[in-house]
Amino acid sequence: MTRINLLVARVVLLGICMLCISSVSVWAEEIKISLTAHTLKECYHNKGQTASGQFVRTGIVAVSPDLERKGLRLGTKIKISDIGTFIVKDRTNRRNRGNVDIYFPSYEKALQFGRQNYTFVQTRTD
């Protein structure tokens, strides 16, 4: 092999190795969130329809725009310890920061839940 061919082979091999390493990198980020409860009563302006086009129901959450920019986009499944697994289907008002709204069918249960602070660990495999 000539020196040029050997150099090209090494560059190609290095590129393949970098691609393999970067495709399986895993990272985790701790995000402090504020959980709040909401009911259909708070969704009066859109008659209960979420940003995804579905109607509010148990098991879905709305996230603030800053959390959406961090990767919690519509359709993302999230697990909140001690509470359950939810799917992001809506967005909160843009003035909210670090907020996740959980839907409750009962206004009394929503009041009882109130506002709670949690640390959410987001992991992603790229």
Side-chain angles (χ1 to χ4, degrees):
M1 281 187 139
T2 65
R3 283 187 146 165
I4 299 291
N5 289 347
L6 190 56
L7 182 60
V8 169
R10 284 183 181 174
V11 169
V12 169
L13 186 58
L14 179 64
I16 291 171
C17 288
M18 288 177 55
L19 181 65
C20 290
I21 291 170
S22 67
S23 66
V24 293
S25 63
V26 177
W27 60 270
E29 180 181 5
E30 244 184 38
I31 304 170
K32 294 191 185 304
I33 60 171
S34 176
L35 290 175
T36 53
H38 75 282
T39 64
L40 193 56
K41 198 176 216 180
E42 288 83 26
C43 303
Y44 64 90
H45 62 283
N46 56 4
K47 298 177 178 53
Q49 191 171 14
T50 65
S52 66
Q54 296 182 356
F55 287 94
V56 292
R57 61 177 165 77
T58 304
I60 65 171
V61 293
V63 298
S64 57
D66 63 319
L67 294 178
E68 190 172 11
R69 283 189 296 276
K70 289 185 177 184
L72 297 180
R73 292 178 180 79
L74 297 179
T76 304
K77 190 182 260 190
I78 62 172
K79 180 165 178 22
I80 301 172
S81 59
D82 302 333
I83 296 177
T85 303
F86 302 91
I87 299 176
V88 177
K89 292 288 185 180
D90 204 1
R91 298 178 183 100
T92 65
N93 191 299
R94 72 177 77 107
R95 71 176 176 259
N96 292 333
R97 299 271 185 254
N99 191 52
V100 175
D101 270 351
I102 298 176
Y103 174 75
F104 280 85
S106 161
Y107 185 71
E108 290 76 28
K109 287 185 180 181
L111 282 178
Q112 185 179 15
F113 183 84
R115 177 182 296 273
Q116 300 180 18
N117 293 317
Y118 275 84
T119 300
F120 173 75
V121 178
Q122 179 185 13
T123 58
R124 182 185 295 178
T125 303
D126 290 333

